[in-house]
Each structure stands twice: as C-alpha cells, then as structure tokens.
Amino acid sequence: MIIQNKEKYIKLFEEIASKKEWEKDSLNKILRKYKDYNGKILRNDELVEVYEELVRSNYLQEKKIIQERIRLRPTRSNSGVTVVTVLTKPFPCPGKCIYCPNDVCMPKSYISSEPGAQRALASKFDPYAQVYNRLIALKNIGHNIEKVELIILGGTWSVYPLDYKLWFVNQCYCALNDISKDTKEYVEPRDNGFEKTTWEDLEKNQRKNETAYCRNVGLVFETRPDYISEREVIEMRKFGATKVQIGIQSLSDKILEMNHIGRSVDSAKNAFSLLRRAGFKIHGHWMPNLYGSTVKDDISDFKKLFGKDFCPDELKIYPTSVIPNTELASLYREGLHIPYSEKELVEVLSKTIPLTPRYCRLSRIIRDIPSSEIEAGNKKTNLRQIVEQELERRRIKVNDIRSREIKGESIEWKGVVLEKLEYKTSVSDEIFISYKTKKTDRICGFLRLSIPKKDLIANNFIEELNNGSIIREVHVYGKVVGIEEESNGESQHLGLGKSLVNAAEEITKKRKLKKISVISAIGTRKYYEKLGYTKEELYMFKNI
Ligand code: SF4
C-alpha cells in the first residue's frame, strides 16, 4: 500500500511505544491527535495495515509492544459476516450522470481518496491482492474471517468484458482459497493485466471454496438497472452472485432525464422484477437532492420505492453531493442547482427514513466521500447520527432492519418470537420471516421467501425455479464463528437458521408447492446440503 505522511505515522507509532501508562482509552487518545487530512481517525484495521507496511518497507522497526497495543481481541461482527469490498479497474461507463465524479485513476463514480478506493488503488486493482490483504489485515487484528461476503464495486459491472469479469471473480475465489488458519503475511499486488480464465477454472475454484477456511457466503455486484437482462442475471448467478446493488436514484422520469441518467423508471421496474424472479437480494441506491428535485418531491419519491414494483431489500440513501469537475458543479456555480441546507436534508431524511418497512435494511444514509472532495452539499460524516437525534426528539421510531439488529447481545430462546410479514410485489408474494426478541423488538435472524405470482410460477426464465418458492436470503446475527461450530448460546447457535428454513418450507407446503430453492452462495452449499438440499444447476433445491 502507498502511505502518505509516513513521518506523521512513524511519530504516532513511536508515541504508542513510548507511553508509560497504557490505559483502555490510550490508543484512541493518541489516534485523535493523528487524524488524516480529512480529519478522520484511523480505524484499527487501517492502523495495523499502516504499521505492517512501515515495518515491511523498513521505515519502522518491528516492536512487540506496538503490536500488542494496536491489536484487538477477537471481535463480534454485527452481521456475523466479514465484508470485503473489491474494486474493478478504471473502465468507461455508458452513463453520463451529471453528478458522477470523473477520477481517471478510478472506475467511474469512485474517488481515489475514498478509503475503499485508496486500498484498491494501492493494490493496483489486483482482485487477488485486494481480497487477500484485506482479510489478512482483519485477521491480524483478531477478526474471524471464515465467512466472507465479497462486494464487487466499480461503476457498471455489466459493461466490463466477459474475459475480465471471469478472471476478476476467479481471482477473488483464489484469494479466499489460499488463506489458511495460519496465514499472516501479505502479498504483493500484480499489475500485469489479466490472464485468460475459463468457466471451468472458475467452477473448479468455486468447488474448492465450498470447504475452504475462508468461505464465500455472499457475492454482490453493482450495476445499472438498464443492463439487467435475463442473460445478465444468469451470468451473475454463474459467478456465484447472491445480491445486486443497483442505482435507482429517482423514480421520476423527469428527474432521471434532467440528471442525464440515461434510462427510465421502467428500466428499474424491469430490473427489480428479473432479479426478484431469480431470487436475488436487491440493494437499491436512492438519491435525494438531485438536480431539479425538491424536499417535497423527494419525500413522495421515497414512498414509491416501497410500491409493488420495487420493494428493495436493502437501501443506500446517497444525498447528492456536488463534486468538482462534474456537470452538476457547473450548474451549481451558475446558480441553477442549489444543494439542500442541512435543515432541509435532515427534514427529508426524518420524513423518509421512518417510512422504511421492517423488511428493508437501510445500510447507509451517506456516501463515504471525503469532505475535501465535496464542493457543495452535505459534508457531515455523522449525518445519520444527526437524523437519529432528530427522530428521537420527534419521538419517531425507525423500524428498518439495521435499527433493530440484535448485535452482540446474548439471546435466550424463550425470549424470542417468530414474526411473518407478508407483502406483495408485481411478481411475487414476499414473506419476511424473522425471529425477534419479544420485549425489545430486536431482530435475531431473518429469511426472505419469495412465492412467484400464479401467472409466473410455471414460466420462470430460469427453468429450475419453476413451480417452487425461492429462499432469497437467510441471515442470522451473532458472533462470527465457524459455520459448523457447536452451540454456546449465541443467536447463531440456537439453530435459528435451521428454524427459519423450516418455517419457509412449511409456508411453501401450505401454498401447495412441492419444491423450494435457495440462492446459496458457494460457501454455504455444505450448510444447505445438511438441511437436505441438493445442487441443481445454479441453485440448491429440496422437494417437499
Ligand atoms: S451509471 Fe453510475 S457510474 Fe455510470 S455515470 Fe451514472 S452514476 Fe456514474
């Protein structure tokens, strides 16, 4: 990795080593003095990465005392899964969205100073090094890395050449397969282009990953809705994908047009219906304060997100920022685009966030763009906190998944209750089955079951999904532990996953369907085998 400000960080580590009385908050106090140029405090994993790089490049002498002081004890991960983000190489995007950053070193829409983008750049966009080194950094600070969700970002995945995509995904699986329990060392990134990779190579490494130490429990691609076609959906499934992130941005054709997004609302409808019929989890991006929109328009636009044509499972809210060298920046300078004031933005978010249904997870309400890169618009990195405080003041409860997650709390089986929430989409009946705590409404685990509508049940474009229901997601919260470890009282061990799957099978039977399929990630195939599921072509299934 490339370290800017080496001298500053060398001083930081010297201070860590020389401090006589080392207390619980000593590290935080020191880190606060050495913020990066955006005023951001280094995260623990970033600190370990910087330390190891300085030692590796002989700028700093290895010291046991530093290692002890910067490493963490094994941590609990809220979602039970380690998430690794990987960026594809810079590549043109067919879109001309007026707000989209133009950083020539980056895939379209990313800025090289964003933390994840920095890591990708330092790894020369080598997918192997990105996955491998990130996992080693996390492992070295005590994270359990046995269950890994890979998020492949970089503008529009669907427009990259197939050869590149095959190589890229295969390299990600190779990196996962090459890490063992004892691996500690980092690898050097390679920048010599990509090698010819076949579907057979990929399948071989996918099979290897089924029993690897680092198993892939989720694979996510980011793309544009108008590039979602039946062929594209099948291809993503062959890569092992389980979730797709798509830019909805707005549900107004007028606003899409004004912002040169180059597609219609109908393209998003079509993408949602194809992805849902194929059992994918759908993670939407929505943008308030686009050029031409108003506070009132944004609030009513948000409501449409949960109409039958969309209903995202997860949502990122990205308030539009004005980034220099974009068309939006020119409009801003001409006085034609006026970003919301903080008060207006908080108003939009306070009115919309509470409308999020219980089945949806609001994963973000701000994009991680360093404030130094924003010409105008929101620069507050703690916007979520500000909105939450405002909602508390107004005594409004938020019911989305993220605000109800159990996190690391211990759970007693008798304090947990099963909840079934049914909602209709244009292509299915969706049943969101969850276990939640009786008293505090905390969610311990959930499953998304999709029952295709009558007129679609026998003519899915993926034949193996015909005449059955589809489990689109099973998620159990708790400490990150080995997938097959024994019970010790954490939610993951209470057999919640199995009970959720049983509940889905019961519902399927009641609907008089004889087959249930699951969009399993490569590393969860063994888990489903134990529950009686068999691999078909792209999915696992059980006759019931
Ligand atoms: S589609 Fe996405 S990456 Fe492409 S120009 Fe628009 S915002 Fe940027």
Side-chain angles (χ1 to χ4, degrees):
M1 72 184 286
I2 304 156
I3 302 176
Q4 290 155 350
N5 266 325
K6 287 190 188 69
E7 294 71 26
K8 184 171 93 178
Y9 290 125
I10 291 168
K11 266 195 186 166
L12 181 155
F13 289 112
E14 282 169 355
E15 191 170 336
I16 290 175
S18 61
K19 187 150 175 51
K20 291 227 161 57
E21 304 284 314
W22 190 257
E23 286 157 4
K24 224 175 159 189
D25 62 343
S26 297
L27 183 60
N28 274 339
K29 278 187 184 160
I30 296 175
L31 287 176
R32 260 181 251 135
K33 289 201 271 174
Y34 293 89
K35 291 178 182 169
D36 72 6
Y37 63 97
N38 290 313
K40 201 181 129 250
I41 296 172
L42 276 189
R43 285 198 319 264
N44 203 268
D45 57 315
E46 291 167 341
L47 182 70
V48 173
E49 251 182 297
V50 172
Y51 168 75
E52 296 194 339
E53 181 55 30
L54 288 174
V55 170
R56 209 168 30 230
S57 44
N58 293 324
Y59 285 103
L60 197 71
Q61 211 189 335
E62 191 169 16
K63 282 195 181 141
K64 207 163 171 238
I65 189 160
I66 301 180
Q67 290 167 347
E68 281 168 5
R69 289 179 169 180
I70 64 174
R71 286 206 170 123
L72 291 176
R73 284 179 225 287
T75 50
R76 287 163 192 273
S77 154
N78 295 342
S79 59
V81 170
T82 298
V83 177
V84 174
T85 302
V86 200
L87 253 75
T88 46
K89 68 175 182 182
F91 199 73
C93 171
K96 306 262 177 294
C97 312
I98 61 170
Y99 48 81
C100 188
N102 291 302
D103 188 331
V104 283
C105 316
M106 282 286 127
K108 188 78 172 110
S109 102
Y110 288 85
I111 301 175
S112 47
S113 51
E114 289 177 79
Q118 261 181 17
R119 270 198 300 274
L121 186 62
S123 296
K124 301 171 181 167
F125 298 99
D126 173 0
Y128 186 94
Q130 288 185 66
V131 174
Y132 195 99
N133 290 345
R134 182 75 183 137
L135 285 172
I136 296 302
L138 291 168
K139 185 170 178 285
N140 288 351
I141 56 166
H143 274 270
N144 184 313
I145 54 164
E146 288 172 66
K147 297 200 286 179
V148 180
E149 180 179 58
L150 289 175
I151 305 186
I152 298 181
L153 300 179
T156 302
W157 168 259
S158 312
V159 299
Y160 283 80
L162 179 60
D163 279 355
Y164 177 77
K165 292 194 280 189
L166 261 171
W167 169 78
F168 195 95
V169 178
N170 188 47
Q171 287 297 306
C172 292
Y173 284 115
C174 287
L176 292 176
N177 293 346
D178 287 350
I179 295 175
S180 75
K181 212 173 176 180
D182 306 313
T183 314
K184 285 195 177 70
E185 299 303 320
Y186 294 88
V187 292
E188 281 304 319
R190 293 162 293 186
D191 59 356
N192 49 358
F194 60 91
E195 299 141 18
K196 178 87 188 140
T197 306
T198 61
W199 283 107
E200 289 71 36
D201 296 329
L202 179 73
E203 280 159 23
K204 197 176 93 201
N205 283 308
Q206 287 179 331
R207 275 196 300 278
K208 208 169 160 191
N209 190 254
E210 288 176 13
T211 51
Y213 173 67
C214 290
R215 276 179 263 181
N216 175 248
V217 299
L219 177 64
V220 187
F221 291 122
E222 176 183 53
T223 198
R224 278 173 63 103
D226 48 339
Y227 279 77
I228 294 288
S229 61
E230 292 181 0
R231 189 201 58 77
E232 180 65 14
V233 169
I234 292 168
E235 185 185 286
M236 288 198 283
R237 190 58 206 132
K238 280 165 83 177
F239 284 130
T242 49
K243 190 196 296 184
V244 176
Q245 289 196 22
I246 47 173
I248 303 166
Q249 324 310 26
S250 166
L251 292 175
S252 152
D253 278 326
K254 184 183 130 210
I255 297 297
L256 293 177
E257 168 77 38
M258 283 179 79
N259 288 270
H260 299 177
I261 293 176
R263 57 168 181 81
S264 62
V265 173
D266 278 348
S267 67
K269 279 186 196 168
N270 182 52
F272 268 81
S273 99
L274 289 176
L275 289 168
R276 194 180 299 281
R277 291 182 69 199
F280 278 86
K281 290 174 282 286
I282 311 169
H283 193 166
H285 300 179
W286 177 76
M287 297 180 70
N289 200 193
L290 282 166
Y291 173 50
S293 195
T294 64
V295 168
K296 203 167 148 241
D297 292 345
D298 281 340
I299 295 170
S300 64
D301 202 70
F302 187 90
K303 290 179 187 162
K304 291 189 229 158
L305 282 173
F306 299 101
K308 65 178 177 28
D309 290 322
F310 306 102
C311 302
D313 303 306
E314 279 184 63
L315 189 67
K316 281 181 182 168
I317 301 180
Y318 283 156
T320 310
S321 302
V322 178
I323 311 288
N325 302 320
T326 58
E327 228 180 303
L328 188 65
S330 312
L331 291 167
Y332 165 68
R333 284 179 211 152
E334 287 164 38
L336 297 170
H337 173 68
I338 303 166
Y340 292 162
S341 63
E342 184 179 314
K343 198 170 161 224
E344 287 172 314
L345 188 54
V346 170
E347 181 62 13
V348 171
L349 297 173
S350 305
K351 286 267 167 64
T352 51
I353 287 175
L355 302 174
T356 313
R358 289 170 77 78
Y359 62 77
C360 179
R361 186 174 192 274
L362 275 181
S363 47
R364 273 168 181 255
I365 63 163
I366 183 177
R367 191 169 152 193
D368 206 1
I369 300 178
S371 52
S372 54
E373 304 283 356
I374 300 174
E375 185 167 336
N378 173 62
K379 292 188 184 180
K380 291 261 168 79
T381 46
N382 64 337
L383 185 65
R384 187 167 205 141
Q385 214 183 336
I386 296 171
V387 176
E388 280 169 359
Q389 280 163 0
E390 179 57 22
L391 288 170
E392 230 176 281
R393 197 185 64 76
R394 297 185 194 183
R395 295 174 192 276
I396 297 174
K397 187 172 182 266
V398 180
N399 286 310
D400 86 293
I401 293 175
R402 193 177 184 272
S403 57
R404 297 189 296 125
E405 285 166 353
I406 189 89
K407 310 238 157 87
E409 294 162 45
S410 64
I411 306 148
E412 279 196 43
W413 196 217
K414 62 178 189 297
V416 170
V417 66
L418 188 72
E419 181 181 82
K420 292 176 197 160
L421 176 73
E422 192 170 331
Y423 57 101
K424 290 193 187 306
T425 73
S426 50
V427 293
S428 62
D429 284 353
E430 295 291 317
I431 299 131
F432 181 77
I433 310 167
S434 64
Y435 275 108
K436 57 164 208 161
T437 54
K438 278 182 205 161
K439 286 192 184 142
T440 53
D441 193 26
R442 293 271 156 201
I443 196 160
C444 317
F446 65 84
L447 180 148
R448 299 182 192 276
L449 180 69
S450 199
I451 314 259
K453 270 176 72 173
K454 276 206 177 82
D455 54 331
L456 297 172
I457 197 136
N459 60 2
N460 198 309
F461 63 97
I462 301 175
E463 222 184 301
E464 65 186 88
L465 295 178
N466 274 336
N467 301 310
S469 65
I470 314 162
I471 296 176
R472 297 192 299 116
E473 180 173 18
V474 182
H475 199 114
V476 176
Y477 294 94
K479 187 181 163 195
V480 184
V481 289
I483 294 171
E484 288 149 12
E485 271 182 44
E486 289 300 312
S487 168
N488 71 356
E490 300 281 347
S491 68
Q492 208 152 26
H493 305 122
L494 289 170
L496 286 190
K498 194 174 168 198
S499 305
L500 287 164
V501 172
N502 285 344
E505 290 172 3
E506 281 311 309
I507 293 171
T508 304
K509 270 188 216 160
K510 277 193 190 142
R511 298 281 183 125
K512 306 213 178 332
L513 295 172
K514 296 203 162 45
K515 182 178 181 182
I516 181 165
S517 300
V518 58
I519 184 161
S520 52
I522 304 301
T524 59
R525 282 179 185 164
K526 294 284 169 209
Y527 173 78
Y528 286 107
E529 266 176 24
K530 283 188 185 166
L531 299 184
Y533 286 71
T534 312
K535 187 176 171 301
E536 208 159 355
E537 205 176 322
L538 300 172
Y539 298 78
M540 296 191 74
F541 79 100
K542 188 175 182 179
N543 288 323
I544 49 175

